[in-house]
Amino acid sequence: MQEEQLLESAERQEISNLKDTLVRHLKKWPWIVLCVIAGVFVSYFYLQSKPNKFRVEGKVFIKKSQQFSDPNELLFGGRNSFRRSNGITDEAVMFKSFPIIKSTLRELDFDVTYRKKGRFKSLELYQNSPIKIEFDRKLNENLPLRTVLEIQLVGNNEFKLYAEKPFGGEVLDGIFKFNQAIKLGSFNFVIRKNVVQGVSYKPEDVFYVSFNSIEKSAYAYRNMLKFDEVEVGSSILTMSMNTAVPQKSIDFIDRLVEKYIDQNLTEKNKVAENTVAFIDRQLKIISDSLNNKEANLEDFKSSNQMADLSMEGQMLSLIHISEPTRQAEIS
């Protein structure tokens, strides 16, 4: 009986402690609900402000090269003459080289970015921008990299332009017309309308035009460009990028492959030209050597007064013909 009483007493004590705990927490329920609501709102705003990421992938078939880079291997052979590999790893390094990526970005005009102001974040428009900025890249080598142009459409032919930061000691803030020449310090440009099929914008929409350094962008794209590990003996090179603007990355990879092919053809043509020039030089050296040997032989004959073998043969034949005639006269 005593043990049962002790168990009942322990159970009552546990129930009492649980009730006290619930009462203490219920007194703080407004704060708990407030923390939950705040967490939901923070998560929502974070997800809305964070850009969506997409994976863009491209595959390149690397043909095994049988071309000799050294003309000596072609003519005389060598230890590496028969060890030609597909060089997948080397080709991946070539794709990530700074000069080829920089040249690709420059050809695609990635030095300008267009964005549309949104409720939580600005969205890059790429090819869907209703405005386009045009400038002579040869004359305007120094772009206003720290200046962002804010543009708001006013009517069919006008827009409001504001430069957030000055450039060259000047600040822009006014209404301009499309196709009008605009000057910001030493930077001259023109804003033109760009008609996008299936896309319409409201007059109150705000757009941003920013400028990018090609050098810095080249380093950024090098870091974004990834190569999947290939199997031994495979000739397929897979490259990929995680990006918020899929079409922009697709255009970049396509143009990068084109630049690689052009560069590869240029290098192969250069190797072929060097090989032909090397063979021509070797043939000329051999020809000059043979001419020198022939000249030395002629000099040797002349210095030793050697007669022509054909003349000596004719004289011997005449002697054999005349001897029987003399014998007949004596008899």
Side-chain angles (χ1 to χ4, degrees), residues 160-174:
K160 184 178 180 181
L161 175 62
Y162 170 71
E164 293 184 355
K165 293 183 179 181
F167 178 74
E170 295 185 13
V171 178
L172 288 177
D173 187 4

Side-chain angles (χ1 to χ4, degrees), residues 44-55 115 120-124 242-246:
Y44 174 77
F45 287 121
Y46 173 76
L47 293 176
Q48 289 295 322
S49 60
K50 183 180 179 181
N52 298 325
K53 290 290 185 179
F54 303 89
R55 176 183 169 88
R115 297 182 181 273
F120 301 105
K121 59 184 177 181
S122 59
L123 302 175
E124 185 173 350
N242 293 325
T243 175
V245 189

Side-chain angles (χ1 to χ4, degrees), residues 34-287:
L34 182 62
C35 290
V36 172
I37 295 174
V40 171
F41 272 98
V42 170
S43 300
Y44 174 77
F45 287 121
Y46 173 76
L47 293 176
Q48 289 295 322
S49 60
K50 183 180 179 181
N52 298 325
K53 290 290 185 179
F54 303 89
R55 176 183 169 88
V56 176
E57 184 178 288
K59 295 182 181 293
V60 183
F61 174 73
I62 306 298
K63 186 177 180 180
K64 295 182 180 181
S65 177
Q66 300 297 331
Q67 187 172 8
F68 294 88
S69 59
D70 186 1
N72 287 292
E73 295 182 10
L74 178 63
L75 291 180
F76 309 113
R79 291 180 298 177
N80 299 325
S81 299
F82 301 99
R83 293 190 302 176
R84 321 224 59 85
S85 61
N86 55 0
I88 295 294
T89 305
D90 295 339
E91 302 303 328
V93 174
M94 289 296 299
F95 274 109
K96 296 192 71 171
S97 65
F98 181 81
I100 191 173
I101 292 181
K102 180 179 177 181
S103 178
T104 301
L105 296 177
R106 194 177 298 279
E107 289 185 3
L108 291 171
D109 296 339
F110 278 8
D111 51 356
V112 180
T113 302
Y114 302 91
R115 297 182 181 273
K116 178 182 177 295
K117 183 179 180 181
R119 180 177 299 179
F120 301 105
K121 59 184 177 181
S122 59
L123 302 175
E124 185 173 350
L125 300 177
Y126 188 45
Q127 296 177 343
N128 296 327
S129 174
I131 56 175
K132 288 292 182 181
I133 184 171
E134 294 183 0
F135 56 93
D136 192 338
R137 286 175 168 79
K138 295 181 180 179
L139 298 178
N140 298 274
E141 295 181 355
N142 298 322
L143 299 179
L145 300 178
R146 298 183 179 180
T147 302
V148 179
L149 303 181
E150 181 180 312
I151 299 175
Q152 183 177 2
L153 305 179
V154 177
N156 292 329
N157 298 319
E158 293 181 335
F159 58 90
K160 184 178 180 181
L161 175 62
Y162 170 71
E164 293 184 355
K165 293 183 179 181
F167 178 74
E170 295 185 13
V171 178
L172 288 177
D173 187 4
I175 297 178
F176 299 86
K177 294 183 178 181
F178 288 103
N179 304 325
Q180 176 184 349
I182 306 174
K183 184 177 181 181
L184 178 61
S186 60
F187 182 66
N188 301 299
F189 62 96
V190 174
I191 300 293
R192 303 190 188 277
K193 294 182 67 174
N194 183 40
V195 180
V196 182
Q197 297 294 335
V199 180
S200 61
Y201 296 100
K202 302 176 182 179
E204 61 269 17
D205 290 338
V206 178
F207 304 92
Y208 300 107
V209 179
S210 57
F211 303 91
N212 312 308
S213 170
I214 291 295
E215 285 74 14
K216 292 182 179 180
S217 298
Y219 285 112
Y221 272 83
R222 284 185 64 188
N223 295 330
M224 289 190 296
L225 192 61
K226 304 298 181 182
F227 293 90
D228 295 344
E229 186 175 353
V230 296
E231 298 180 358
V232 178
S234 175
S235 299
I236 303 297
L237 180 64
T238 303
M239 64 183 73
S240 61
M241 294 179 64
N242 293 325
T243 175
V245 189
Q247 187 59 47
K248 189 174 184 179
S249 297
I250 291 173
D251 293 343
F252 169 76
I253 291 178
D254 289 343
R255 186 61 60 87
L256 181 66
V257 173
E258 292 178 2
K259 293 291 294 181
Y260 164 80
I261 294 174
D262 293 340
Q263 179 175 318
N264 199 20
L265 289 176
T266 301
E267 291 180 353
K268 287 183 177 179
N269 291 334
K270 186 177 180 180
V271 170
E273 292 175 357
N274 292 338
T275 302
V276 172
F278 176 81
I279 294 174
D280 290 340
R281 289 194 301 268
Q282 294 298 318
L283 291 176
K284 187 176 184 305
I285 293 173
I286 295 173
S287 177

Side-chain angles (χ1 to χ4, degrees), residues 7-31:
L7 290 174
E8 291 179 358
S9 177
E11 289 178 356
R12 287 195 296 269
Q13 183 66 31
E14 289 180 359
I15 294 173
S16 177
N17 293 336
L18 180 60
K19 290 181 178 179
D20 293 341
T21 303
L22 291 175
V23 170
R24 288 197 305 270
H25 284 85
L26 288 175
K27 290 181 179 179
K28 300 179 181 179
W29 72 266
W31 294 102

